[in-house]
Amino acid sequence: MSNVVELNCQTTLDLPAERVLTKALEADLDTAVVIGYDKQGDLYFASTTADGGNVVWLFEKGKLALLGAETA
């Protein structure tokens, strides 16, 4: 469907994981943390950062952005 336009805005709808991950690849990230559930409901976690403290810091920065306290 080549006539579908993706809007760059916030939504209250769930998005497919493939779309979110594709956008992350297009963003050419230096650091990434991926967390989610697979089709069986098992937790999946992966990070480019080996330091757990840095991963928690990224989560906290994301939480602040989600709560509107800071821009991501």
Side-chain angles (χ1 to χ4, degrees):
M1 295 176 24
S2 62
N3 60 346
V4 175
V5 176
E6 287 188 30
L7 300 176
N8 188 17
C9 61
Q10 293 181 348
T11 178
T12 58
L13 303 173
D14 292 340
L15 299 173
E18 181 181 353
R19 182 183 299 178
V20 173
L21 294 172
T22 298
K23 289 291 188 182
L25 288 171
E26 292 171 357
D28 195 29
L29 301 175
D30 182 51
T31 304
V33 178
V34 178
I35 188 166
Y37 292 107
D38 64 18
K39 301 273 189 218
Q40 292 74 41
D42 295 325
L43 182 68
Y44 175 86
F45 174 85
S47 173
T48 61
T49 303
D51 185 321
N54 286 336
V55 172
V56 171
W57 183 83
L58 284 170
F59 278 135
E60 292 297 326
K61 293 285 286 184
K63 185 170 73 174
L64 284 174
L66 182 63
L67 294 172
E70 161 178 322
T71 59

